Amino acid sequence: NRYDFPRFRLFSEKKTNHLPATKSSAALTSLLMSPVFQDVHVMIFIGFGFLMTFLKRYGFSSVGFNLLLAAFGLQWGLLTQGLWHLEDGKIKVTIFKIINADFSTATVLISFGAVLGKTSPVQLLIMTVLEISLFSINEHLVAQIFKANDVGASMIIHAFGAYFGLAVARVLYRPGLRNGHDNDGSVYHSDLFAMIGTVFLWMFWPSFNSAIADPGLTQLTAVINTYLSLAACVLSAYAISSLVEHKGKLDMVHIQNATLAGGVAVGTCADMAIGPYGAMLIGFVAGIISTVGFKYLTPILASNLGIQDTCGVHNLHGMPGILGGLAGIVAVALGKKEGGDAAMQAAALASSLGFALVGGAITGFIMKLPFWGQPPDQNCYDDSIYWEVRNPISHK
Amino acid sequence: NRYDFPRFRLFSEKKTNHLPATKSSAALTSLLMSPVFQDVHVMIFIGFGFLMTFLKRYGFSSVGFNLLLAAFGLQWGLLTQGLWHLEDGKIKVTIFKIINADFSTATVLISFGAVLGKTSPVQLLIMTVLEISLFSINEHLVAQIFKANDVGASMIIHAFGAYFGLAVARVLYRPGLRNGHDNDGSVYHSDLFAMIGTVFLWMFWPSFNSAIADPGLTQLTAVINTYLSLAACVLSAYAISSLVEHKGKLDMVHIQNATLAGGVAVGTCADMAIGPYGAMLIGFVAGIISTVGFKYLTPILASNLGIQDTCGVHNLHGMPGILGGLAGIVAVALGKKEGGDAAMQAAALASSLGFALVGGAITGFIMKLPFWGQPPDQNCYDDSIYWEVRNPISHK
Amino acid sequence: NRYDFPRFRLFSEKKTNHLPATKSSAALTSLLMSPVFQDVHVMIFIGFGFLMTFLKRYGFSSVGFNLLLAAFGLQWGLLTQGLWHLEDGKIKVTIFKIINADFSTATVLISFGAVLGKTSPVQLLIMTVLEISLFSINEHLVAQIFKANDVGASMIIHAFGAYFGLAVARVLYRPGLRNGHDNDGSVYHSDLFAMIGTVFLWMFWPSFNSAIADPGLTQLTAVINTYLSLAACVLSAYAISSLVEHKGKLDMVHIQNATLAGGVAVGTCADMAIGPYGAMLIGFVAGIISTVGFKYLTPILASNLGIQDTCGVHNLHGMPGILGGLAGIVAVALGKKEGGDAAMQAAALASSLGFALVGGAITGFIMKLPFWGQPPDQNCYDDSIYWEVRNPISHK
């Protein structure tokens, strides 16, 4: 027999009776997926966590609450998603289930970005419970009822998480912060910490978009489409940032965020036969939309609509997520996905937006109840209300 | 033949005569293990290295000496462990051997945490030589003679490394630091650098605990148990931190460390059939013990027993390591591991603690000899005694 | 059939018609290579990006321009390299092609280090286009015509990138910076950010050197040789740094860079049968050469030859790259690589150096044209000329 798996002796030198399992496809597939899981894990905990450390005095909360919410959320996600896939009345935990649990927390971390600096940990934990529950219902609807394609979750994670968070932010509107806040800004090194988050998200996005793709060539297609979309997106984000800024300078906020919009926007189509040009076109457009959104749309949302979006999740996850959903409809209509149905893609997008806006508004009202310890305006964007801060660095 | 491995042509377009090796289980298993090796590598070099950068003026030494000790230690570990497994009088280097070499350095890096800021590089290199030699003897005893289970090394790495370091710290007791030291503390950004270490350790711990598990389903079990234990541990660490601190605030020291105790404590049982609830229970308890230890036990150890534990390794590796050993005894007694023997588990724990305390004390006395360049009290926790420091950041 | 791959059902619960692909070697090999690709990706974007953040006021540009150049360069690299390997008139994108695209950008990022702080983004983009085009020609020559071995690219990436960049730096010589520049130095935390780059490069170098090795045992050999070379290199870099510095102190510049020289130098031989001692010898020598270069050679190059090498790429990539090429010639001459030809190895080294020096000089003259926005001397090493910098940290 040429496939002599048992030939290799492990370090432990112990006899093992699990070798048949290794030989089987189940274990092999799972072992092949382990690195993908780790990449997604890095995006959730390092990527989202450090991306939000750009605020000068809110780094402990950004990375610390991110860890808390994600660790709590993945357990809740395992439960809620597990209920849709019970086996003999039990939730079977597999590598795919824990990838999916990580995914469900991503929605919360996106929404967290919209309300960053303005909510207490208790409020955030409530948001986690409600948002993941709604995510799980919408995900079931999209995947099982509509049978829509959303391999990289442009719709069910990014658009959902962004509009959910924006609805919460609208309900929690703070007139006292209309004219900004001293702490709502970055210092030099906080922007560098945030770049750790940006770059890890950027690098591992191909794993995110391919994690639940059909194994084999489809999965590789998702990797390569995402890689190309992100590369094109960097170029348009830099170009537009330089174009819209004073004297052609670049703005760190755009670089930290808009360079990632290509990963969001190619999500739905990642595993479709859109070809390199399709992927790059999507990424290029996403970089433009996202940068323009940061420059012109975010201030309007804050001043005219009362939506104070701390991290600009509307520009990184909201609009690119919708772009991804639309691109998916077009791609399916053009026959780029075997068995796809454009109407069902549209239904999936509408469902994700509807659940997000309605669910976010209700969640916002629950979070607004006066006993969850919401910080007063003057303590916003400030770690010292929740953390023992010993030696704050001086900021001019 | 459906399994037509040679079909794929490599980028180099060169003919290769190694394809039969790929097809074989040995190479396949090794290639599957490479990502696991890289994860462990990240824990050793980024995880431990940055976790210790929390000190305001000792970041160069933390990450720099960590690199030096680990790079030296893994070579020494390859040698000492190789001597137990000679093949034709030679040490055969495999992916499993280099994972194990990384493991052996982990013991030293844990002990380093106990004496951080108070020892010279030469003292630390001496500690590396002696500790890894003793680790290798104890590891041989535990794995080959007792045939005990310790897949994630709660006993042979974490408890061993912690108590070894504490014994060294006891021998090197500095009465002059009884009332603290100006540099023995963090600043805002040093705490953020430390969180890089924390989060990478947290994320990749499933790989650490499963790296030497039997391949296949057993290995996946170790991944999932560790993932769940860590998730539960985060919750209890945050809860207890808030409970014991002034005004319900969180302490960065707890978050940086106690959130990881679940990975330590589930180590011995990680590949056993303890189920999700078992794993989460272990993690939850570990988070409590660790946080309480930081708050109440560390000051007592320092003032009453003369054990000045800079990083609190007793709380992150010591007590959770013992908890892991005890959990292993219980799990084996309950039949959760085929072929396990509870008495041998107990012997493994006792052996690890005994080697650590006696070996650490002897090593401490050798390190105390007056010609190794131990820094005077006033230069403790200060990079500038060992490094050219050009522009120190100002600390108020 | 024991190899029942389809047994495993994916999370998505959808039927898939791609399972035969998974079973095939092509997809399996690609999936096995995905983690290697991700490691290389981390080296390119985090490794190179953060390694250059050591400058006190140039962190945004270091990590930001690194992202821009790499994202642009990998697209250009896909194109130029693709032209050598057209299939039916099309460029087929595979996991190996995108690894190779990442590789081609590495040359640019190395050259970027030589001119860091003294060039505009437009100049750098021009350099990217020209350098990758030349790299692709030289790579084709070395691999296809000479059929030389350079698995870890000591010659075609490291030596090429370094001497290309040095030639550019020579042409762009700035007499006004002869006596240094206030911003040409580090602060405490910028040196710690740089260590993030160093450590990620150090950890993932085994993946870099083995990424295009023949799969199977040859690939594992490359991993282990690189691992050992790097470990030995750390020891010699620390030893020599302490030896040449005032009072035996260590210099962060040496630790950040010279510890990596072992990865560069073992590149060409990584997949050859050089044995552990061969690998460690190469690494040990590289660490010495690199550290000595930083201490004594860099100042001479700047003052006597007009080569202002900001990051010291001559010491990290240049000399160790040549060492790697020479070691390859010797190893092949000693029969350590089946089918190798020492003369062809020498031709490959000469070709790489020739292309680099001539190509770099020409590129330098093009970059020197007065309309690319090259910054004036007083604005060198300063982010604020290209970035909106809101709150610079104060430097004494």
Side-chain angles (χ1 to χ4, degrees):
Chain A
N1 184 345
R2 290 161 55 196
Y3 301 94
D4 53 340
F5 280 72
R7 201 173 66 188
F8 201 76
R9 295 297 298 277
L10 276 181
F11 138 88
S12 69
E13 311 284 333
K14 279 181 282 186
K15 279 234 198 77
T16 165
N17 44 17
H18 293 284
L19 283 164
T22 305
K23 271 179 286 187
S24 81
S25 63
L28 180 59
T29 306
S30 292
L31 288 173
L32 283 169
M33 291 306 293
S34 284
V36 174
F37 158 63
Q38 288 291 5
D39 290 352
V40 171
H41 225 38
V42 171
M43 294 177 71
I44 297 292
F45 289 91
I46 285 284
F48 283 108
F50 277 91
L51 184 59
M52 294 188 281
T53 58
F54 72 99
L55 288 173
K56 65 179 103 165
R57 287 176 181 279
Y58 209 64
F60 289 9
S61 302
S62 295
V63 73
F65 293 165
N66 187 82
L67 173 60
L68 173 62
L69 298 182
F72 174 65
L74 63 86
Q75 295 172 68
W76 185 245
L78 270 178
L79 268 181
T80 55
Q81 303 237 4
L83 295 179
W84 296 106
H85 305 282
L86 287 179
E87 297 178 37
D88 304 327
K90 291 196 173 176
I91 295 172
K92 198 172 153 194
V93 183
T94 67
I95 202 95
F96 295 95
K97 290 270 177 60
I98 66 179
I99 287 176
N100 204 34
D102 270 18
F103 276 6
S104 65
T105 68
T107 60
V108 177
L109 303 179
I110 291 166
S111 303
F112 180 31
V115 297
L116 190 74
K118 299 172 296 187
T119 40
S120 71
V122 175
Q123 286 181 301
L124 294 169
L125 289 171
I126 291 166
M127 186 174 84
T128 305
V129 170
L130 297 173
E131 184 165 3
I132 289 181
S133 305
L134 291 168
F135 162 77
S136 142
I137 297 171
N138 182 54
E139 195 268 340
H140 185 78
L141 208 64
V142 166
Q144 307 299 325
I145 311 299
F146 302 151
K147 297 195 186 303
N149 292 287
D150 196 14
V151 72
S154 303
M155 300 184 286
I156 65 171
I157 292 179
H158 295 288
F160 176 86
Y163 289 100
F164 192 101
L166 293 168
V168 171
R170 179 64 193 84
V171 175
L172 300 183
Y173 176 59
R174 289 171 180 263
L177 300 183
R178 222 168 12 205
N179 301 314
H181 189 294
D182 271 1
N183 289 336
D184 184 11
S186 65
V187 287
Y188 194 69
H189 282 167
S190 70
D191 269 327
L192 278 176
F193 278 113
M195 282 302 284
I196 298 175
T198 298
V199 178
F200 272 105
L201 284 170
W202 194 91
M203 295 185 301
F204 289 160
W205 216 294
S207 294
F208 190 93
N209 280 357
S210 68
I212 61 168
D214 292 332
L217 295 180
T218 306
Q219 189 164 34
L220 293 168
T221 301
V223 167
I224 288 169
N225 280 338
T226 307
Y227 171 91
L228 291 172
S229 175
L230 284 162
C233 176
V234 168
L235 301 191
S236 62
Y238 271 83
I240 302 298
S241 181
S242 176
L243 210 65
V244 298
E245 284 299 310
H246 183 60
K247 288 192 192 174
K249 290 189 184 185
L250 298 162
D251 189 324
M252 252 298 162
V253 173
H254 306 161
I255 304 312
Q256 282 159 3
N257 291 280
T259 52
L260 302 168
V264 173
V266 83
T268 302
C269 307
D271 65 343
M272 302 184 187
I274 54 174
Y277 298 109
M280 292 171 80
L281 179 66
I282 290 172
F284 197 81
V285 173
I288 295 172
I289 288 178
S290 185
T291 311
V292 169
F294 274 102
K295 184 68 183 175
Y296 301 109
L297 200 54
T298 295
I300 293 175
L301 289 184
S303 58
N304 295 10
L305 296 181
I307 302 173
Q308 293 156 330
D309 178 6
T310 312
C311 292
V313 300
H314 187 235
N315 311 304
L316 171 48
H317 302 279
M319 292 188 297
I322 290 181
L323 174 64
L326 297 175
I329 297 170
V330 173
V332 166
L334 294 174
K336 303 297 187 193
K337 182 74 184 176
E338 210 179 309
D341 177 331
M344 287 298 151
Q345 293 296 122
L349 179 56
S351 166
S352 300
L353 294 176
F355 267 92
L357 291 171
V358 175
I362 295 170
T363 301
F365 283 111
I366 295 171
M367 289 167 72
K368 211 178 180 174
L369 296 174
F371 36 82
W372 307 128
Q374 181 170 304
D377 286 357
Q378 72 269 24
N379 295 113
C380 280
Y381 314 111
D382 191 345
D383 279 335
S384 61
I385 187 171
Y386 300 118
W387 299 82
E388 303 278 356
V389 179
R390 293 182 187 80
N391 290 296
I393 257 182
S394 61
H395 312 283
K396 283 186 300 195
Chain B
N1 184 345
R2 292 162 54 198
Y3 302 94
D4 53 340
F5 279 70
R7 201 172 65 189
F8 201 76
R9 294 296 299 274
L10 273 183
F11 137 87
S12 68
E13 311 284 332
K14 279 182 283 190
K15 280 233 197 75
T16 164
N17 45 18
H18 292 285
L19 283 165
T22 306
K23 272 178 288 190
S24 81
S25 64
L28 180 59
T29 306
S30 291
L31 288 174
L32 283 169
M33 290 307 293
S34 285
V36 175
F37 158 62
Q38 288 291 6
D39 290 351
V40 171
H41 227 37
V42 171
M43 293 177 73
I44 297 293
F45 289 90
I46 286 283
F48 282 108
F50 277 89
L51 184 59
M52 294 188 282
T53 58
F54 73 97
L55 288 173
K56 65 178 103 164
R57 289 176 179 278
Y58 209 64
F60 289 9
S61 302
S62 295
V63 71
F65 293 165
N66 187 82
L67 174 59
L68 174 63
L69 297 183
F72 175 66
L74 62 86
Q75 295 173 68
W76 185 247
L78 270 178
L79 269 181
T80 53
Q81 303 237 2
L83 296 179
W84 296 107
H85 305 282
L86 287 178
E87 297 177 37
D88 304 326
K90 291 195 173 178
I91 295 172
K92 199 174 155 194
V93 182
T94 67
I95 201 94
F96 295 94
K97 289 271 177 58
I98 67 180
I99 287 175
N100 204 34
D102 270 20
F103 276 5
S104 66
T105 68
T107 59
V108 177
L109 303 179
I110 292 166
S111 303
F112 180 30
V115 297
L116 189 76
K118 298 171 298 187
T119 41
S120 71
V122 175
Q123 286 181 301
L124 294 169
L125 289 169
I126 291 167
M127 186 174 82
T128 305
V129 170
L130 297 174
E131 183 165 3
I132 288 181
S133 306
L134 291 168
F135 162 76
S136 142
I137 296 171
N138 182 54
E139 194 268 342
H140 185 77
L141 207 62
V142 166
Q144 307 299 326
I145 310 301
F146 301 150
K147 298 193 185 304
N149 293 286
D150 197 15
V151 73
S154 303
M155 299 183 287
I156 66 172
I157 291 180
H158 295 288
F160 175 86
Y163 289 99
F164 192 101
L166 293 168
V168 170
R170 179 65 193 83
V171 174
L172 299 182
Y173 175 61
R174 288 171 181 265
L177 300 183
R178 223 169 9 206
N179 301 315
H181 189 294
D182 270 0
N183 290 337
D184 184 11
S186 63
V187 287
Y188 194 69
H189 282 168
S190 70
D191 269 326
L192 278 177
F193 278 114
M195 281 303 283
I196 298 174
T198 297
V199 178
F200 272 106
L201 286 169
W202 194 90
M203 294 185 303
F204 289 159
W205 216 293
S207 293
F208 190 94
N209 280 357
S210 68
I212 60 168
D214 292 332
L217 295 180
T218 306
Q219 191 165 32
L220 294 168
T221 302
V223 167
I224 289 170
N225 280 338
T226 306
Y227 171 91
L228 291 172
S229 175
L230 285 162
C233 176
V234 167
L235 301 191
S236 61
Y238 272 82
I240 303 297
S241 181
S242 176
L243 210 66
V244 300
E245 283 299 311
H246 183 60
K247 287 194 195 171
K249 289 188 183 183
L250 297 162
D251 189 325
M252 254 298 165
V253 173
H254 305 162
I255 304 311
Q256 283 160 2
N257 292 281
T259 52
L260 302 167
V264 173
V266 83
T268 302
C269 306
D271 65 343
M272 302 184 187
I274 53 173
Y277 297 110
M280 292 172 79
L281 179 66
I282 290 171
F284 197 80
V285 172
I288 295 171
I289 289 177
S290 186
T291 312
V292 168
F294 274 102
K295 184 68 183 177
Y296 301 110
L297 200 54
T298 296
I300 293 175
L301 290 183
S303 57
N304 294 10
L305 296 181
I307 301 173
Q308 293 156 329
D309 178 5
T310 311
C311 293
V313 300
H314 188 236
N315 311 306
L316 171 48
H317 302 279
M319 292 188 297
I322 290 182
L323 173 64
L326 296 175
I329 296 169
V330 172
V332 166
L334 295 174
K336 302 299 186 190
K337 182 75 183 176
E338 212 179 305
D341 177 331
M344 286 300 150
Q345 293 296 122
L349 180 56
S351 166
S352 300
L353 294 176
F355 267 92
L357 291 170
V358 175
I362 295 169
T363 301
F365 282 111
I366 295 171
M367 290 167 71
K368 209 176 181 177
L369 295 175
F371 36 83
W372 307 127
Q374 180 169 304
D377 287 356
Q378 71 270 26
N379 295 112
C380 281
Y381 315 110
D382 191 345
D383 279 334
S384 62
I385 187 170
Y386 299 118
W387 300 82
E388 304 278 354
V389 179
R390 292 181 188 83
N391 289 297
I393 259 184
S394 61
H395 312 281
K396 282 185 300 197
Chain C
N1 183 344
R2 290 163 54 198
Y3 302 95
D4 52 340
F5 279 70
R7 201 174 64 188
F8 201 74
R9 295 297 298 276
L10 275 183
F11 137 88
S12 69
E13 309 286 332
K14 281 182 283 189
K15 279 232 197 76
T16 166
N17 45 17
H18 293 283
L19 282 164
T22 306
K23 273 180 285 188
S24 82
S25 64
L28 180 59
T29 307
S30 291
L31 288 173
L32 283 169
M33 291 306 292
S34 283
V36 174
F37 158 63
Q38 289 291 4
D39 290 351
V40 172
H41 226 38
V42 171
M43 293 178 72
I44 297 293
F45 289 90
I46 285 283
F48 282 109
F50 277 89
L51 184 59
M52 295 188 281
T53 58
F54 72 99
L55 287 173
K56 65 179 101 162
R57 286 176 183 278
Y58 209 65
F60 288 11
S61 303
S62 296
V63 72
F65 293 166
N66 186 81
L67 173 60
L68 174 63
L69 298 180
F72 174 66
L74 62 87
Q75 295 172 69
W76 186 246
L78 269 178
L79 268 180
T80 54
Q81 302 238 2
L83 295 179
W84 296 107
H85 305 283
L86 287 179
E87 296 179 39
D88 303 327
K90 291 196 173 175
I91 295 172
K92 198 174 153 195
V93 183
T94 66
I95 201 96
F96 295 95
K97 289 272 176 57
I98 67 178
I99 287 174
N100 204 34
D102 269 19
F103 276 5
S104 65
T105 68
T107 61
V108 177
L109 302 178
I110 291 166
S111 304
F112 180 30
V115 297
L116 190 75
K118 298 172 296 187
T119 41
S120 72
V122 174
Q123 287 181 303
L124 294 170
L125 288 170
I126 292 166
M127 186 174 83
T128 305
V129 169
L130 297 173
E131 183 165 4
I132 288 181
S133 306
L134 291 168
F135 163 76
S136 141
I137 298 171
N138 182 54
E139 194 268 341
H140 185 77
L141 208 64
V142 167
Q144 307 298 326
I145 311 301
F146 301 152
K147 296 194 187 305
N149 293 286
D150 197 14
V151 72
S154 304
M155 300 183 285
I156 66 171
I157 292 179
H158 294 288
F160 176 86
Y163 288 100
F164 192 101
L166 293 168
V168 171
R170 178 65 194 83
V171 174
L172 299 182
Y173 175 61
R174 289 171 180 264
L177 299 184
R178 223 168 10 205
N179 301 315
H181 188 294
D182 270 0
N183 289 337
D184 184 11
S186 64
V187 287
Y188 194 70
H189 282 168
S190 70
D191 269 327
L192 278 177
F193 278 113
M195 282 301 284
I196 298 174
T198 298
V199 178
F200 272 105
L201 285 169
W202 194 91
M203 293 185 304
F204 289 159
W205 216 293
S207 294
F208 190 93
N209 281 357
S210 68
I212 60 168
D214 293 333
L217 295 180
T218 307
Q219 190 165 33
L220 294 168
T221 302
V223 168
I224 289 169
N225 280 338
T226 307
Y227 171 92
L228 291 172
S229 175
L230 284 162
C233 176
V234 168
L235 301 191
S236 61
Y238 272 84
I240 303 299
S241 181
S242 174
L243 209 66
V244 299
E245 284 298 311
H246 182 62
K247 286 196 196 173
K249 289 189 184 184
L250 297 162
D251 190 325
M252 252 297 163
V253 174
H254 305 162
I255 304 312
Q256 282 159 2
N257 292 280
T259 50
L260 302 168
V264 174
V266 82
T268 303
C269 307
D271 64 344
M272 302 183 186
I274 54 174
Y277 297 109
M280 292 171 79
L281 179 66
I282 290 172
F284 197 82
V285 173
I288 295 171
I289 288 177
S290 185
T291 312
V292 169
F294 274 101
K295 183 70 183 176
Y296 300 111
L297 201 54
T298 296
I300 293 174
L301 290 183
S303 58
N304 295 9
L305 297 180
I307 301 173
Q308 294 157 328
D309 178 5
T310 311
C311 293
V313 300
H314 187 237
N315 309 306
L316 171 48
H317 302 279
M319 292 189 295
I322 292 183
L323 174 63
L326 297 175
I329 297 170
V330 173
V332 165
L334 293 175
K336 303 297 186 193
K337 182 75 183 177
E338 212 179 306
D341 177 331
M344 287 299 150
Q345 292 296 123
L349 179 57
S351 165
S352 299
L353 294 176
F355 267 92
L357 290 170
V358 175
I362 295 169
T363 301
F365 282 111
I366 295 171
M367 290 168 70
K368 209 178 181 174
L369 295 175
F371 36 83
W372 306 128
Q374 180 168 304
D377 287 356
Q378 71 270 25
N379 295 112
C380 281
Y381 315 111
D382 191 343
D383 280 333
S384 61
I385 187 171
Y386 299 119
W387 300 82
E388 304 278 357
V389 178
R390 292 181 188 81
N391 290 296
I393 259 184
S394 61
H395 312 284
K396 282 185 301 195

